[in-house]
């Protein structure tokens, strides 16, 4: 059976397998027994590499060179392959915390709980009454793949732990984190990803983003057209290379991306914890050996940057001391894993499948069962006669009828209670927890309201120039404001698993892709805004003002706002349009100046006489100009009396036009009701790969 005071911590990394064997000393400390570093033949991030084949070769080398039996085993899984979520719990009794945590896990983990292995850790800060919980989870399929690989070479781990938790446990033990420890940022730059851990008194917070040593190598591959192994070698020997300046110049964009992601993570954490005081950064991983990286991060972040040079509480005597100290920068994860196996960890979280642990325990106890069974048979044979004699004695004495009647009555009452359902256990009532949770993030809607205010301000600012560009010439500009609020609705939408993605997230349930915006796995608030506007081209006006504001990068992603704005290209709709026309009229009696059926006449530009009315239009007639007859609309001759009447009518009309000229009616003003829909998406920092890629 594995010893409980000796443990192997094994980090299965993308570039090597690193292991540390510790023994508990009994005084809260640990003694180093052995350590191992098995480099992979090729990094798992290299192209055309089968990771499983590489891992089996390296794990086989570890088991053949070191004795891993008679000790507990703790292995790691990378942070990017699992989940780490943090939330505040409502004030409840300690015995109800597991139920509240389970309810919170159902909300935070984007998979059904029966499909994941999960664990949690509560945190209590010394200067705050709030209780926080860290929920750690990994899909059962992924962890079973790792466990099966280990079982194939004869290893059955007792602990499966997230790498960032193991790194935190190592430094918390070695540096003795306590209530007076300053706020510390731990950055573990791995091969394919970086784990960032924020450690404050009584608390921790984790985020993982996809930047690591692989990106530095790829930069050299693209810049110098090298193969991946040669670029990896050049990166490791960059400081001594004669082309060091060109090498670091090629890797500078990755330096910038790394610093931006660290800065963004710090900003997001400080937006959630206003009183956090972060004063130092500790680097872990071989990437921190790159010259100039610490200096660059210190300039960009404005805080002191250190790296692990040696462990204070872990020493190696003799010839192996130099090699161990040189490998210290990469052994933090294995160190923390071994501490967890010895029970010296600050933060728990074992993701080992319970079924595998139970099977392993039964397998170890099988030899003892045979001995126990033999003893049981012998004892049973020796004591067989005594129970038989007692049974025969009891059978000879019949029970009292009153006892039999009471037992029957008790059975009847129990059956009735069972049918009524009063014996069944009550379910979890989450109403109280939900009501308390309403107070969390209550400032979110204030921020969303400010966003709506800024949207309307952007429309008002654009309106004057818009009317000059798209308005009807001669028309009067619509009165301010440019848009008027008709309604504004917000709907919270919980996260869903990938196979249950919300088909309405994009506003088109018939789309073949149920989640084109890739937001269904995150909690979000759907915001629907309806505005009315008299501006010309209302849809285009909304796209140039409202949509442009929502899509602007400085508005979508803000360090001081806990959500990201996501808008669908089809989110702007004109749901109601109308025309307002007005005809000017002076008189109301038939035949008056405002009567459209009244016969009137006028001249065109060449002097021809036109007669008619406003309903039927005008026709050309013969007129007399300077005593000569000019042919008009008809071929019949015009008598002198008719010409005189026409001249009299025209003269009267001209005089009337001079005193009260008729102005053409203004063009009709168009109005529109516009619906704009966007989402305030709460993307947890641990899986915010899209935003990280955009910054990159």
């Amino acid at each position: 059976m594995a010893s409980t005071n000796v443990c192997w911590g094994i980090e299965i990394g993308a570039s090597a397998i690193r292991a540390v064997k510790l023994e508990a000393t009994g005084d809260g400390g640990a003694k180093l027994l052995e350590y191992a570093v098995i480099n992979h033949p090729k990094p798992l991030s290299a192209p055309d590499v089968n990771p499983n084949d590489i891992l089996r070769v390296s794990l086989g080398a570890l088991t053949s060179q070191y004795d891993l039996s008679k000790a507990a085993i703790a292995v790691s899984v990378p942070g990017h392959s699992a989940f780490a979520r943090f939330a505040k719990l409502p004030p409840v009794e300690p015995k109800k915390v597991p139920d509240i945590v389970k309810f919170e896990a159902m909300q935070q983990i984007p998979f059904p709980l029966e499909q994941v292995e999960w664990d949690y850790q509560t945190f209590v800060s010394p200067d705050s009454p709030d209780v926080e919980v860290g929920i750690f989870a990994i899909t059962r399929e992924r962890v079973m793949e790792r466990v099966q690989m280990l079982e194939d070479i004869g290893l059955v781990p007792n602990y499966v732990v997230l790498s960032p938790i193991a790194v935190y446990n190592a430094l918390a033990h070695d540096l003795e984190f306590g209530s007076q420890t300053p706020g510390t940022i731990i950055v573990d730059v791995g091969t394919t990803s970086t784990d960032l851990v924020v450690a404050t008194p009584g608390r921790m917070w984790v985020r993982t983003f996809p930047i690591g040593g692989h990106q530095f190598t790829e930069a050299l591959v693209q810049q110098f057209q090298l193969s991946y192994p040669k670029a990896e070698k050049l990166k490791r020997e960059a400081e001594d290379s004669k082309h060091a300046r060109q090498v670091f110049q090629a890797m500078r964009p990755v330096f910038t991306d790394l610093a931006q992601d660290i800065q963004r993570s710090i900003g997001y954490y400080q937006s959630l914890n206003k009183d956090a005081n972060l004063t130092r950064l500790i680097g872990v991983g071989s990437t921190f050996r790159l010259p100039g990286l610490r200096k660059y991060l210190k300039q960009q972040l404005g805080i002191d940057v250190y790296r692990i040079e040696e462990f204070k509480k872990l020493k190696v005597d003799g010839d192996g001391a130099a090699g161990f100290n040189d490998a210290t920068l990469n052994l933090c994860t294995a160190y923390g894993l071994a501490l967890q196996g010895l029970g010296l960890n600050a933060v728990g979280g074992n993701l080992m499948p319970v079924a595998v642990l139970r099977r392993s325990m039964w397998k170890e106890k099988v030899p003892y069962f045979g001995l126990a069974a033999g003893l049981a048979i012998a004892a049973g044979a020796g004591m067989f006669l005594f129970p038989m004699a007692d049974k025969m004695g009891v059978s000879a004495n019949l029970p009292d009828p009153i006892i039999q009647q009471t037992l029957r009555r008790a059975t009847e009452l129990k059956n009735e209670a069972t049918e009524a359902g009063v014996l069944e256990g009550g379910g979890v009532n989450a109403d109280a927890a939900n009501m308390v949770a309403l107070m969390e993030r209550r400032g979110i809607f204030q921020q969303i309201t400010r966003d709506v205010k800024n949207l309307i301000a952007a429309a008002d600012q654009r309106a004057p120039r818009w009317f000059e560009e798209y308005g009807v010439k001669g028309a009067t500009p619509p009165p301010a404001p440019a848009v008027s609020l008709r309604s504004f609705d917000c709907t919270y939408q919980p996260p869903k698993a990938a196979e249950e993605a919300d088909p309405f997230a994009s506003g088109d349930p018939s789309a073949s892709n149920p989640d084109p915006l890739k937001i269904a796995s995150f909690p979000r608030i759907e915001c629907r805004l309806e505005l009315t506007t008299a501006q010309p081209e209302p849809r285009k006006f909304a796209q140039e003002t409202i949509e442009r504001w929502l899509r602007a990068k400085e508005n979508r992603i803000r360090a001081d706002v806990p959500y990201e704005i996501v808008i669908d290209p089809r989110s702007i709709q004109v749901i109601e349009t109308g025309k307002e026309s007005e005809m000017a009229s002076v008189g109301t009696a038939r035949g008056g100046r405002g009567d459209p059926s009244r016969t009137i006449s006028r001249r065109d530009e060449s002097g021809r006489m036109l007669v008619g009315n406003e309903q039927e239009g005008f026709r050309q007639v013969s007129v007399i100009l300077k005593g000569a007859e000019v042919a008009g609309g008809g071929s019949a001759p015009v008598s002198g009396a008719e010409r005189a009447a026409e001249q009299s009518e025209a003269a009267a009309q001209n005089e009337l036009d001079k005193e009260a000229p008729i102005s053409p009616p203004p063009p009709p003003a168009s109005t529109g009701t516009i619906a704009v829909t966007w989402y305030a998406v709460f993307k947890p920092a641990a899986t915010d790969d899209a935003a990280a890629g955009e910054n990159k």
Side-chain angles (χ1 to χ4, degrees):
M1 186 174 179
S3 175
T4 57
N5 64 338
V6 178
C7 181
W8 273 99
I10 303 175
E11 178 195 5
I12 305 176
S15 61
I17 292 179
R18 304 174 181 90
V20 170
K21 184 179 182 182
L22 299 182
E23 180 182 12
T25 58
D27 56 354
K31 180 176 65 173
L32 178 68
L33 299 180
E34 290 182 276
Y35 77 94
V37 177
I38 308 294
N39 293 317
H40 295 320
K42 291 183 179 180
L44 302 186
S45 58
D48 302 327
V49 166
N50 188 327
N52 290 335
D53 293 343
I54 297 294
L55 288 177
R56 291 178 189 277
V57 172
S58 299
L59 288 171
L62 177 67
T63 56
S64 63
Q65 298 176 25
Y66 298 90
D67 182 13
L68 303 182
S69 62
K70 299 180 182 180
I73 295 177
V75 299
S76 66
V77 290
H80 64 80
S81 66
F83 307 96
R85 304 288 188 269
F86 298 86
K88 290 184 179 180
L89 297 181
V92 295
E93 299 178 7
K95 64 180 182 180
K96 294 184 179 180
V97 168
D99 294 333
I100 297 297
V101 171
K102 184 175 181 180
F103 173 78
E104 190 68 32
M106 295 172 62
Q107 305 299 317
Q108 296 285 348
I109 299 175
F111 291 95
L113 292 187
E114 59 270 13
Q115 296 181 11
V116 299
E117 295 292 338
W118 68 283
D119 202 350
Y120 71 93
Q121 172 75 46
T122 56
F123 303 98
V124 179
S125 178
D127 56 352
S128 174
D130 296 333
V131 177
E132 294 188 4
V133 61
I135 300 173
F136 315 110
I138 187 172
T139 58
R140 188 163 295 165
E141 179 182 3
R142 183 167 292 179
V143 71
M144 285 303 300
E145 180 182 357
R146 178 59 56 89
V147 171
Q148 185 62 48
M149 179 184 299
L150 294 172
E151 287 185 336
D152 291 344
I153 60 174
L155 294 180
V156 179
N158 305 92
Y159 303 89
V160 176
V161 185
L162 289 180
S163 293
I165 297 178
V167 171
Y168 173 81
N169 286 332
L171 296 185
H173 177 80
D174 199 70
L175 300 180
E176 298 181 348
F177 284 1
S179 59
Q180 303 301 321
T181 302
T184 303
I185 305 164
I186 304 170
V187 178
D188 182 7
V189 183
T191 302
T192 58
S193 62
T194 295
D195 296 326
L196 184 143
V197 182
V198 177
T200 56
R203 297 179 183 176
M204 71 166 293
W205 181 82
V206 175
R207 180 183 181 238
T208 300
F209 47 87
I211 295 179
H214 169 70
Q215 280 68 29
F216 288 94
T217 305
E218 280 292 328
L220 298 180
V221 170
Q222 297 177 6
Q223 179 68 25
F224 301 112
Q225 302 298 315
L226 300 175
S227 64
Y228 194 92
K230 290 184 178 180
E232 182 72 19
K233 182 180 180 181
L234 179 61
K235 181 185 71 174
R236 297 178 183 275
E237 301 173 354
E239 186 175 8
D240 300 327
S241 173
K242 62 180 180 179
H243 304 294
R245 182 176 180 181
Q246 291 83 350
V247 171
F248 287 106
Q249 190 67 26
M251 295 189 295
R252 185 175 181 83
V254 187
F255 277 55
T256 303
D257 292 340
L258 178 64
Q260 288 179 350
D261 265 327
I262 295 175
Q263 195 168 24
R264 183 183 176 202
S265 302
I266 296 173
Y268 179 74
Y269 177 81
Q270 290 180 330
S271 70
L272 299 178
N273 302 272
K274 304 296 184 182
D275 57 343
N277 182 23
L278 306 179
T279 60
R280 61 177 179 173
L281 185 148
I282 299 178
V284 177
S286 57
T287 302
F288 270 89
R289 298 186 188 278
L290 291 176
L293 178 58
R294 286 187 294 168
K295 181 179 179 181
Y296 180 78
L297 292 179
K298 181 177 181 180
Q299 293 174 347
Q300 296 297 317
L301 304 178
I303 58 177
D304 294 330
V305 178
Y306 307 92
R307 74 179 182 190
I308 295 297
E309 302 291 348
E310 63 178 359
F311 295 127
K312 296 182 178 180
K313 291 189 173 183
L314 213 58
K315 302 294 183 181
V316 175
D317 298 329
D319 298 336
F324 179 76
N325 291 335
D326 187 60
T328 297
L329 196 62
N330 295 318
L331 290 175
C332 280
T333 301
Y335 184 13
L337 292 170
L339 289 173
Q340 180 136 353
L342 300 179
L344 301 177
N345 53 299
V347 175
N350 186 8
L351 304 182
M352 182 67 185
V354 178
V356 179
L357 277 177
R358 188 181 294 116
R359 185 172 68 245
S360 176
M361 292 174 62
W362 279 102
K363 185 177 180 180
E364 291 180 354
K365 294 179 180 179
V366 165
Y368 300 96
F369 289 154
L371 179 60
L375 293 175
I377 292 174
M383 301 177 63
F384 177 73
L385 296 177
F386 296 102
M388 288 297 294
D390 293 340
K391 181 179 180 181
M392 293 176 62
V394 172
S395 301
N397 297 323
L398 297 176
D400 191 278
I402 298 297
I403 296 177
Q404 294 180 348
Q405 182 180 358
T406 303
L407 291 175
R408 286 194 299 269
R409 180 57 179 165
T411 302
E412 293 174 359
L413 293 176
K414 182 178 179 180
N415 292 336
E416 293 177 2
T418 302
E419 294 176 358
V422 299
L423 298 183
E424 297 180 358
V428 178
N429 189 347
D431 293 343
N434 289 336
M435 294 179 65
V436 173
L438 289 175
M439 300 302 294
E440 295 186 14
R441 294 183 174 178
R442 55 185 178 274
I444 294 298
F445 290 98
Q446 296 178 358
Q447 181 61 47
I448 293 177
T449 303
R450 286 193 289 269
D451 290 346
V452 174
K453 179 180 177 182
N454 293 332
L455 289 176
I456 296 176
D460 290 341
Q461 184 179 5
R462 183 72 170 88
R465 290 187 292 108
W466 181 267
F467 189 82
E468 292 178 3
E469 297 173 6
Y470 294 92
V472 179
K473 186 175 182 180
T476 303
V483 294
S484 299
L485 179 65
R486 184 174 182 180
S487 67
F488 181 53
D489 298 324
C490 293
T491 304
Y492 174 77
Q493 297 178 355
K496 295 186 179 181
E499 61 269 16
E500 300 177 358
D502 185 2
F504 295 92
S506 65
D508 183 7
S510 62
S512 58
N513 182 1
D515 185 20
L517 300 181
K518 299 181 180 180
I519 61 175
S521 60
F522 306 107
R524 59 200 179 278
I525 297 176
E526 181 186 35
C527 304
R528 181 177 174 83
L529 178 67
E530 290 189 7
L531 302 168
T532 58
T533 179
Q535 297 294 325
E537 301 288 344
R539 180 195 296 274
K540 191 172 182 180
F541 178 70
Q543 291 174 337
E544 290 295 324
T545 57
I546 306 297
E547 183 180 3
R548 174 168 294 183
W549 191 94
L550 291 170
R551 291 191 182 280
K553 181 179 180 182
E554 63 271 13
N555 300 326
R556 286 191 302 105
I557 303 175
R558 291 164 282 183
D560 58 342
V561 176
Y563 57 80
E564 175 181 335
I565 293 177
V566 178
I567 181 172
D568 189 89
R570 300 164 292 182
S571 62
I572 295 184
Q573 301 176 354
V574 178
I575 61 175
E576 181 180 333
T577 58
K579 295 287 185 178
E580 297 179 358
S581 60
E582 180 179 349
M583 180 178 292
S585 62
V586 178
T588 58
R590 183 171 179 81
R593 186 168 179 78
D595 185 2
S597 64
R598 181 177 64 86
T599 301
I600 59 175
S601 64
R602 65 179 178 85
R603 299 178 185 274
D604 62 8
E605 296 178 354
S606 61
R608 292 189 295 269
M609 177 64 71
L610 305 177
V611 299
N613 55 58
E614 295 179 2
Q615 289 181 339
E616 300 176 355
F618 293 89
R619 61 184 177 84
Q620 182 179 335
V621 299
S622 299
V623 297
I624 301 297
L625 293 178
K626 297 182 180 180
E629 182 178 271
V630 181
S635 60
V638 182
S639 66
E642 291 177 345
R643 285 195 295 268
E646 291 172 357
Q647 292 176 352
S648 177
E649 174 71 19
Q653 180 66 37
N654 291 336
E655 291 298 327
L656 185 59
D657 288 342
K658 292 179 180 180
E659 296 181 2
I662 299 177
S663 301
S670 63
T671 61
T673 300
I674 305 167
V676 184
T677 304
W678 72 92
Y679 296 90
V681 184
F682 299 92
K683 289 189 176 181
T687 58
D688 191 3
D689 296 341
E694 180 178 347
N695 285 340
K696 179 178 178 182

